[in-house]
Amino acid sequence: MTRYTSATDRDRREMLAAIGAGSIDDLFADIPESLRLSAPLELPDGMAEQDVYDHLAQLAARNRHCEDEVSFLGAGMYDHYVPALIDSIIQRSEFLTPYTPYQPEVSQGGLQAMFEFQTAISELTGLPVANASLYEGPSSVASAGYLALLENRRSRFVTSRGVHPHSRAALETYGRGFGTTLHETPLDERGATDLDALAAAVDDDTAAVFLQQPNFLGTVEDLGPLVEAAQRTGALVVCSVDPLTLGVLEPPGAFGVDIAVGEGQSLGNRLDYGGPSFGFFAARDRFIRRMPGRIAGETVDADGRRGFVLTLQTREQHIRREKATHNICTSQALNAVAGVIYLSWLGRRGIVELGELMLRRTHYAREALGLQPINPGPVVREFAMRVPDLDDLFRRARAERVNPGYRLGRDYPEYADGLLVAITERRTRADIDRLAGLVARSREGVAA
Amino acid sequence: MADETYPPDLLYHPEHDWARVEDGEATLGITWFAQDQLGEVVFFDPPHLGTAIAANDPYSEVESVKAVSDVIAPLSGEVTAVNEALSDAPEKINDDPYGEGWLIRVRLSDPSEADALLDADAYRERLAAESSE
Amino acid sequence: MRPAETDTLTIFERSQEGRRAFSPPPTDVPETPIEELLPAAAVRRWPPELPEVAEPEIVRHYNNLSKKNFDLDTGFYPLGSCTMKYNPKLNERVAALPGHARLHPLQDDEYAQGALELMWRLERALAEIAGLPHVSLQPSAGSHGELAGLLLTRAYHEDRGESRTKVLTPDTAHGTNPATVTMAGYEVVKVGTAADGGVDLDDLRARAGEDTACLMLTNPNTLGLFDRNIEEIARIVHEAGATLYYDGANLNAVVGISRPGDMGFDIVHFNLHKTFTQPHGGGGPGAGPIAVSDRIEPYLPVPRVVESASRNGAEPAYELDQDHPKSIGRLRGFQGNFGVFVRSYAYIRSVGGDGLRDVAETAVLNANYLRARLAEPGIGELLPVAFDRTCMHEFVLSGAPAKRELGIKTLDIAKRLLDHRVHPPTVYFPLLVHEALMIEPTETETRETLDRFADSIRAILEEGRRDPELVKGAPYETPVRRLDEGRAARRPIVRQPPVT
């Protein structure tokens, strides 16, 4: 018996008697002797709760996190402020501990929250139908590719190099199963997707074209011409979009994009060293029956009262099996609830104000740092610059508990000296000035 | 919901589909048994006009809330009409499976295939035999 | 209790122009007009119609929504193959430590040693539990792990110059298995179930051949039965040159008792939200890490957590390693659902090796006890167990006799259980059993709870004899009555209508 189980010796005796078995071992008689462990697992013994806590706290203390340093790291996940009301709601056992709402009569809370989430994502992206979440950003991009394949049965994916490296990698990996090939088109000298190169790459066998807004460098892409070029041969256009820029940026739906996906972490979810967060997926009406994942729909009950259910379930694996639109079962429901609470908290005006604040601070930062920009054009919350001596800058910054950002060279050899700097509402002007000071001193030191 | 009937003027396929043959054309649908098994029909996606369908092969699917069923072609031919009313009111398949719940019409490519189909009595017998298994 | 009409308002319907919950920080940089910072075509013309509500209203709205949910902390939740076991509250406390919660996934390895060590130790624990040495924590759920497993299988075969096109799954398989087969570019071939509930060996022998890539199995299977022939099954599959994949959904039955690696499996996925107490969250988040054998190891996703030379030489150090040329690549961004790893690791350290064995023993004891209670006269003849042998952590009943004799279906019994303040078992799965009820009590339930459940079932069946219409009209005491799913599917309304 452990602190989570209740079977006392007496319970065991009486239960075994009711079963008609002599011992617990008898219950495992179907397992061949040769397969039964004769010794306990080679794992440490169980510990008292306080000791487990201390052990985990010691591990956590060895991580330098965003309360330890002023961080300009972005590249897909961002240090936003998560308001306290979110935890107070999602830690409620009624949201935290149930499972998928297969019995809708006792799941109206979760189902209505999904419906509200779907509405919020639809509003943000400008596309009419959205699902109740996928796992996270890059795998959502790959999932959009799968929908395109189900639609048109073509075999090529074309992606801009401006799409997140992890998304491009996921397309490559999933593509091994899909049987697709992935073709990448370059960025131009201003760090935006090269329109001509993209147009040239799209042919009759292109199932989908992938774009990102803003792109990985933070560049605001000129979506109109890109989408038009991409759709010329009937390919679907998938746009991965940063949701918190959608207070100030015109959404993908307005440009004729077929499917909008993206990483939902910045909507009310913690960094958590990369997960759990959620992926969102929104599309044109005509794709609704091919959408992946759970979808909550409105209906009425036997008394005519409004209610919500999981709908269009015949798309899903538990009914459609090998012909399902996707294999997903468990997704990220709780993180999506955090997302819709966050969007309600920001509200209609808040998302605009937050976007404008990030936009202005980002432009201020780009000027203040004074380095050569890799993408000099419009940006919203992130930008890339060339740094004469990255090692020197990082050494100085670390000593002052500042993290200057992401080294682009890790994913883009052509920007080996590149630094990707992310701005959130938590990075104040003072923080930015501090980074600018470090950059200046680093340049002086290096020049000397 | 309709009462259980199997009209005598129709021909039946063992996979629970019916055909009404007239002058080299046939109207096709699913039987009372099929719609009863499915439950409340919510969606039918018809094939395009001009599509060639082959006897004994599925040409579409009918969906209820919790199930999907292949619709098997009793006869081969080219699709000349589809029941547009079903996109707004798929429940007609439940309420009137042989009338307003018709699915498609085809121009037959091989009318002799009708000889292989069952009449209403033979189909009823088959249902009785299956249910006792 | 009938909730008032206003209780079905959405957060959007509570919106009033001018209300707000968010107070932006002051703009401490020049307030350059937006039009000067963005090209005209890129500027949002109409703001998204998000709600306008103040903070108290948001909290009240979601609190009231939560009260319409039945949950595991409130009552018994015997969903088969979901392992609805108690979620230790320590999990949330350690997951919320800033060193975990506010750690950026791209922090340099040197400054994320606590996180990397946690992942490393979790991997070692899972390897020990599986009996397979190489682990990736990357997949985000069981289905994701299944996809990883089949892509690994594909890479393994292709690397040997073999092209195989089929994957075998038993007809009792969970729907994610065949769905994953298609996504991985394979064709599903179904293997039959024998009279004793295990895989039909003759059918397997006939179907396993040169173009078989893999057999996907759960053991115990979705009938709750341990396949006694598992070693022979492994032999047949390996002789055909295929891989053997273990769907870990039912690991709770055998953890610490028997190991999939020893049974002959090449690839195993774990459901951290089932066996390892990550809360189910209403449908996620979860995680689906995988453990694999030596021959599959080269193809594991990247990045991998590896031990590296530490700076002072005294302590071990860890890093994320991308240098694996045969890797299948990435299935998602960053490292996976780290917050889930924290909770599962805390659980494993809490119960320890011995505790895990106790988990399986108690889970199997509870299931067999409940099976015995439900076999008693008054219940057993109407809801007979589908396979009359010792079960593992779950078992399946058939509601076919109840339907025949009383006219009440498994669905009706499930809905009436809601009025008894219990979550129904899984219904209508596996498809092999007519009017199936799949029951998994888990090890964290007391015997009294199991007895009360048997009493509820008995009471419902008695009601079914006396007054079947009463049962068929259930539920009566839930926030809503039975819902019109046909209407929701025929004319889907999947968002609040847009403001025009």
Side-chain angles (χ1 to χ4, degrees):
Chain A
M1 202 166 48
T2 68
R3 54 181 176 274
Y4 307 128
T5 58
S6 308
T8 62
D9 286 341
R10 178 181 155 177
D11 285 329
R12 287 184 170 216
R13 264 198 324 272
E14 293 180 0
M15 290 164 80
L16 285 169
I19 294 166
S23 67
I24 299 239
D25 250 15
D26 288 353
L27 299 177
F28 289 97
D30 282 339
I31 303 183
E33 264 315 309
S34 53
L35 294 178
R36 288 213 242 167
L37 294 172
S38 49
L41 291 170
E42 277 179 36
L43 292 175
D45 289 342
M47 298 196 281
E49 181 176 325
Q50 66 185 70
D51 294 330
V52 178
Y53 176 81
D54 285 345
H55 173 55
L56 270 287
Q58 280 159 25
L59 286 173
R62 288 166 50 217
N63 298 327
R64 187 179 282 191
H65 54 84
C66 291
E67 280 173 23
D68 290 333
E69 64 180 16
V70 174
S71 179
F72 293 89
L73 270 176
M77 287 202 171
Y78 303 92
D79 181 34
H80 286 287
Y81 181 73
V82 177
L85 88 170
I86 289 181
D87 253 6
S88 80
I89 296 165
I90 67 172
Q91 289 288 308
R92 293 179 66 87
S93 61
E94 299 94 331
F95 278 124
L96 186 65
T97 69
Y99 202 16
T100 308
Y102 291 126
Q103 299 292 345
E105 298 88 346
V106 292
S107 316
Q108 287 300 292
L111 285 163
Q112 184 171 330
M114 281 183 187
F115 181 81
E116 294 174 0
F117 170 82
Q118 287 162 196
T119 304
I121 296 296
S122 171
E123 276 298 314
L124 281 185
T125 58
L127 287 165
V129 298
N131 74 8
S133 76
L134 298 178
Y135 307 131
E136 44 83 71
S139 58
S140 301
V141 173
S143 299
Y146 194 56
L147 188 154
L149 286 182
L150 296 179
E151 265 295 299
N152 59 37
R153 305 256 162 230
R154 297 180 181 183
S155 69
R156 286 173 88 248
F157 287 154
V158 171
T159 180
S160 159
R161 190 167 171 68
V163 169
H164 198 296
H166 295 176
S167 300
R168 287 183 280 123
L171 281 171
E172 193 85 64
T173 300
Y174 277 68
R176 292 161 167 256
F178 297 167
T180 50
T181 53
L182 182 66
H183 304 266
E184 195 179 281
T185 68
L187 297 174
D188 63 21
E189 69 288 352
R190 292 175 63 79
T193 298
D194 184 318
L195 174 61
D196 292 332
L198 186 87
V202 177
D203 67 6
D204 286 339
D205 192 29
T206 303
V209 178
F210 299 86
L211 302 167
Q212 182 170 308
Q213 178 73 306
N215 73 21
F216 187 72
L217 304 182
T219 313
V220 175
E221 298 273 21
D222 188 9
L223 284 183
L226 288 170
V227 172
E228 203 196 304
Q231 285 175 333
R232 223 167 263 156
T233 61
L236 264 55
V237 178
V238 178
C239 183
S240 177
V241 63
D242 181 342
L244 269 192
T245 63
L246 290 173
V248 293
L249 285 185
E250 188 74 331
F255 293 100
V257 165
D258 294 293
I259 303 172
V261 293
E263 173 56 57
Q265 176 270 327
S266 51
L267 302 180
N269 281 280
R270 314 189 299 213
L271 285 167
D272 276 339
Y273 198 49
S277 62
F278 66 87
F280 57 89
F281 192 111
R284 300 272 159 219
D285 270 321
R286 65 193 173 97
F287 300 119
I288 191 173
R289 288 192 140 82
R290 289 214 204 276
M291 297 256 293
R294 311 292 184 192
I295 298 179
E298 188 177 335
T299 184
V300 293
D301 78 350
D303 292 338
R305 129 177 292 106
R306 180 196 218 175
F308 300 91
V309 291
L310 288 179
T311 193
L312 302 176
Q313 289 188 55
T314 47
R315 296 164 302 118
E316 298 190 71
Q317 43 73 33
H318 57 290
I319 293 178
R320 208 55 163 255
R321 300 177 68 87
E322 64 270 11
K323 293 189 191 164
T325 58
H326 202 278
N327 72 346
I328 193 167
C329 183
T330 296
S331 55
Q332 309 277 143
L334 191 70
N335 301 97
V337 173
V340 69
I341 296 170
Y342 181 78
L343 288 169
S344 301
W345 176 79
L346 269 190
R348 189 176 177 275
R349 282 188 297 156
I351 195 165
V352 177
E353 290 163 354
L354 183 57
E356 290 179 349
L357 179 61
M358 292 195 299
L359 185 56
R360 288 174 174 139
R361 281 200 180 139
T362 298
H363 279 84
Y364 174 80
R366 194 158 66 169
E367 276 186 39
L369 296 191
L371 294 161
Q372 190 200 347
I374 289 171
N375 54 343
V379 292
V380 177
R381 64 105 118 250
E382 203 159 17
F383 58 92
M385 319 198 89
R386 295 189 187 278
V387 177
D389 188 339
L390 274 171
D391 288 338
D392 183 78
L393 173 61
F394 270 80
R395 199 177 35 78
R396 289 171 189 269
R398 287 250 155 76
E400 293 197 22
R401 303 211 149 235
V402 173
N403 191 330
Y406 184 65
R407 295 188 194 223
L408 274 176
R410 287 185 184 174
D411 297 300
Y412 293 80
E414 68 269 38
Y415 305 132
D417 56 352
L419 178 70
L420 186 66
V421 177
I423 303 293
T424 71
E425 77 287 10
R426 299 187 93 154
R427 295 296 83 82
T428 62
R429 176 178 176 150
D431 292 333
I432 296 167
D433 289 341
R434 216 166 132 199
L435 179 62
L438 284 161
V439 167
R441 287 198 293 287
S442 176
R443 286 171 98 173
E444 283 161 35
V446 166
Chain B
M1 292 281 165
D3 291 331
E4 184 169 12
T5 59
Y6 304 103
D9 60 317
L10 303 180
L11 295 171
Y12 298 83
H13 187 284
E15 294 292 341
H16 315 296
D17 310 84
W18 57 264
R20 181 181 287 116
V21 182
E22 288 158 324
D23 301 324
E25 282 216 340
T27 308
L28 308 179
I30 65 172
T31 67
W32 184 95
F33 177 81
Q35 66 79 34
D36 185 59
Q37 288 289 293
L38 269 172
E40 202 181 345
V41 174
V42 299
F43 186 69
F44 169 66
D45 193 17
H48 294 304
L49 296 178
T51 310
I53 68 173
N56 304 311
D57 285 346
Y59 65 88
S60 183
E61 288 170 333
V62 178
E63 287 182 23
S64 65
V65 171
K66 289 280 167 47
V68 184
S69 221
D70 279 335
V71 187
I72 306 296
L75 303 163
S76 311
E78 184 191 309
V79 178
T80 57
V82 303
N83 188 348
E84 311 264 353
L86 295 179
S87 65
D88 279 331
E91 61 272 20
K92 287 184 196 285
I93 295 174
N94 297 113
D95 297 337
D96 189 9
Y98 308 108
E100 293 202 336
W102 68 274
L103 299 182
I104 64 170
R105 214 165 273 139
V106 295
R107 167 150 300 287
L108 297 176
S109 55
D110 182 4
S112 72
E113 284 173 337
D115 300 339
L117 295 177
L118 306 166
D119 67 15
D121 288 333
Y123 179 66
R124 246 197 229 95
E125 271 169 36
R126 244 195 118 88
L127 284 180
E130 271 176 21
S131 76
S132 67
E133 269 163 25
Chain C
M1 186 188 68
R2 203 49 67 78
E5 216 28 69
T6 51
D7 280 8
T8 62
L9 288 182
T10 67
I11 189 70
F12 297 91
E13 288 158 353
R14 297 192 197 279
S15 195
Q16 289 290 341
E17 189 184 329
R19 292 182 182 166
R20 56 185 306 138
F22 169 65
S23 313
T27 303
D28 50 6
V29 293
E31 293 197 33
T32 317
I34 304 304
E35 306 76 55
E36 289 179 27
L37 299 176
L38 291 173
V43 176
R44 185 136 195 168
R45 282 172 290 168
W46 312 110
E49 291 298 333
L50 297 178
E52 293 185 82
V53 279
E55 183 169 329
E57 194 69 23
I58 299 175
V59 172
R60 186 167 286 167
H61 175 79
Y62 287 102
N63 266 20
N64 280 307
L65 279 188
S66 80
K67 289 175 179 166
K68 297 188 192 183
N69 284 347
F70 180 86
D71 69 275
L72 174 62
D73 275 359
T74 299
F76 188 41
Y77 212 121
L79 267 187
S81 273
C82 293
T83 310
M84 302 299 294
K85 66 163 90 180
Y86 173 71
N87 311 131
K89 301 317 168 197
L90 176 67
N91 288 359
E92 298 312 309
R93 179 175 281 181
V94 292
L97 290 165
H100 297 143
R102 293 201 63 194
L103 182 63
H104 193 284
L106 294 173
Q107 178 60 288
D108 287 341
D109 292 347
E110 169 184 359
Y111 295 102
Q113 285 297 297
L116 292 170
E117 180 174 335
L118 189 151
M119 288 174 67
W120 170 264
R121 286 174 179 245
L122 178 61
E123 288 183 1
R124 295 301 100 232
L126 293 176
E128 173 65 9
I129 289 164
L132 290 168
H134 311 285
V135 176
S136 170
L137 301 177
Q138 198 182 104
S140 300
S143 300
H144 216 200
E146 291 171 37
L147 182 63
L150 289 187
L151 292 176
L152 290 170
T153 291
R154 179 178 283 288
Y156 167 73
H157 290 305
E158 284 175 6
D159 199 21
R160 285 157 61 237
E162 295 199 10
S163 148
R164 293 170 177 245
T165 59
K166 300 191 165 72
V167 171
L168 307 180
T169 67
D171 49 17
T172 53
H174 191 261
T176 54
N177 292 171
T180 306
V181 171
T182 306
M183 279 182 93
Y186 288 112
E187 188 190 318
V188 173
V189 173
K190 282 195 264 196
V191 178
T193 299
D196 71 347
V199 169
D200 180 333
L201 288 180
D202 290 331
D203 201 27
L204 177 63
R205 277 186 201 104
R207 295 183 189 280
E210 277 179 356
D211 73 349
T212 306
C214 178
L215 169 67
M216 297 178 84
L217 278 188
T218 317
N219 196 21
N221 63 17
T222 57
L223 297 164
L225 305 171
F226 191 89
D227 201 320
R228 297 175 271 227
N229 299 316
I230 186 61
E231 289 171 300
E232 176 64 11
I233 290 169
R235 206 195 52 75
I236 295 168
V237 169
H238 289 144
E239 215 167 75
T243 63
L244 188 59
Y245 180 90
Y246 186 87
D247 180 329
N250 290 336
L251 189 67
N252 213 48
V254 295
V255 59
I257 308 277
S258 183
R259 304 193 306 178
D262 299 334
M263 295 177 207
F265 287 92
D266 299 289
I267 307 169
V268 169
H269 91 248
F270 307 85
N271 296 71
L272 296 190
H273 47 296
K274 296 186 178 182
T275 326
F276 298 101
T277 72
Q278 162 67 24
H280 288 82
I290 51 179
V292 305
S293 58
D294 286 338
R295 65 179 178 149
I296 305 292
E297 178 272 331
Y299 315 102
L300 278 177
V302 284
R304 304 211 210 150
V305 181
V306 300
E307 281 178 300
S308 63
S310 71
R311 295 202 298 184
N312 60 17
E315 303 168 342
Y318 307 91
E319 62 186 37
L320 291 172
D321 182 24
Q322 312 274 355
D323 187 18
H324 294 269
K326 293 193 175 186
S327 165
I328 58 172
R330 285 184 158 278
L331 287 148
R332 56 158 288 158
F334 308 113
Q335 287 79 261
N337 282 347
F338 177 77
V340 177
F341 309 155
V342 173
R343 293 174 177 88
S344 296
Y345 180 66
Y347 173 69
I348 291 171
R349 295 310 308 264
S350 293
V351 297
D354 258 21
L356 286 173
R357 187 186 175 94
D358 179 67
V359 162
E361 287 182 348
T362 310
V364 171
L365 175 69
N366 276 359
N368 279 286
Y369 176 71
L370 188 54
R371 181 177 64 87
R373 293 295 331 272
L374 295 176
E376 288 166 5
I379 306 175
E381 59 279 17
L382 291 170
L383 298 177
V385 69
F387 290 85
D388 195 7
R389 40 182 278 222
T390 304
C391 64
M392 295 278 93
H393 67 315
E394 66 188 7
F395 56 97
V396 180
L397 304 179
S398 170
K403 181 178 175 185
R404 228 176 15 245
E405 288 171 41
L406 307 180
I408 61 174
K409 301 190 291 203
T410 285
L411 182 70
D412 303 316
I413 296 171
K415 298 305 182 190
R416 191 56 171 148
L417 273 170
L418 296 175
D419 293 329
H420 287 250
R421 299 170 71 73
V422 152
H423 195 280
T426 303
V427 295
Y428 297 101
F429 182 80
L431 304 165
L432 191 71
V433 177
H434 291 178
E435 298 286 323
L437 274 157
M438 191 208 290
I439 302 173
E440 179 185 357
T442 83
E443 76 280 8
T444 57
E445 299 298 334
T446 64
R447 175 210 171 157
E448 297 84 71
T449 300
L450 305 181
D451 287 335
R452 268 200 302 277
F453 180 76
D455 291 342
S456 293
I457 293 283
R458 182 180 291 282
I460 292 169
L461 291 174
E462 259 157 41
E463 247 178 9
R465 276 187 209 96
R466 277 194 332 263
D467 187 358
E469 288 312 308
L470 184 68
V471 178
K472 291 202 271 196
Y476 302 98
E477 312 214 3
T478 48
V480 292
R481 306 277 310 283
R482 270 196 223 195
L483 290 150
D484 189 346
E485 299 194 35
R487 173 176 167 148
R490 274 196 306 274
R491 277 165 273 279
I493 302 169
V494 300
R495 59 153 287 168
Q496 188 91 38
V499 171
T500 42

